[in-house]
Amino acid sequence: MSSKLTDFWNVLSRYKYVITFVVGVALVGFIDDNSFLRRVQYDMQIGKMKDEIRKYNLQNEKATQALNELRRNPKAIRKIARERYFMKADDEDIYVLSTDQQAADEAIEKANNIDEAAQ
């Protein structure tokens, strides 16, 4: 029994630097909270978030341009009111062309409600 224990300690003493290095690499590379694998995951998350930032910046620029257009041009307000909310002038009729019957019915009902509210 003591010879096996002695052999074990001899192996440990002979390869103590190699064992320490392997254990250290395992801790830093895979097990630790700041491991290499976590860093790769964080880099991937950062890339996705940067893509989202670019997307939201583009949306912000488009919305800012639309807002500036609305502030400068009163015809743009009329255009949006007609397209999105089916508003009309007194001497106009609105025709909604759609292949989807339910959407067309809802649009007509919405236009009628707005027309009734205006009167």
Side-chain angles (χ1 to χ4, degrees):
M1 171 92 167
S2 66
S3 69
K4 289 183 181 181
L5 188 59
T6 306
D7 291 340
F8 177 73
W9 283 112
N10 285 338
V11 169
L12 279 179
S13 65
R14 183 176 301 157
Y15 297 110
K16 62 184 169 189
Y17 296 111
V18 174
I19 293 170
T20 305
F21 180 75
V22 170
V23 170
V25 167
L27 283 173
V28 172
F30 302 104
I31 299 171
D32 190 29
D33 286 337
N34 299 320
S35 68
F36 180 73
L37 295 175
R38 293 257 173 123
R39 180 178 172 158
V40 169
Q41 290 174 348
Y42 291 149
D43 287 341
M44 291 172 56
Q45 283 181 346
I46 288 170
K48 289 178 185 177
M49 288 180 183
K50 285 183 179 180
D51 289 340
E52 286 183 26
I53 288 171
R54 282 187 213 105
K55 181 181 79 170
Y56 290 131
N57 283 336
L58 287 174
Q59 283 180 353
N60 186 21
E61 289 175 14
K62 289 179 184 178
T64 304
Q65 288 174 355
L67 180 63
N68 289 336
E69 182 66 25
L70 288 174
R71 287 183 179 164
R72 283 186 273 132
N73 189 359
K75 289 183 181 180
I77 295 172
R78 289 187 193 134
K79 179 182 176 187
I80 289 175
R82 290 171 189 242
E83 289 177 358
R84 292 187 187 169
Y85 303 111
F86 301 107
M87 293 184 174
K88 64 181 184 93
D90 291 333
D91 60 344
E92 293 178 339
D93 291 328
I94 295 179
Y95 297 100
V96 179
L97 304 175
S98 175
T99 57
D100 185 17
Q101 186 61 33
Q102 183 179 5
D105 292 341
E106 288 174 5
I108 291 170
E109 183 178 327
K110 190 177 195 181
N112 289 337
N113 290 341
I114 291 172
D115 191 30
E116 290 172 1
Q119 294 175 354

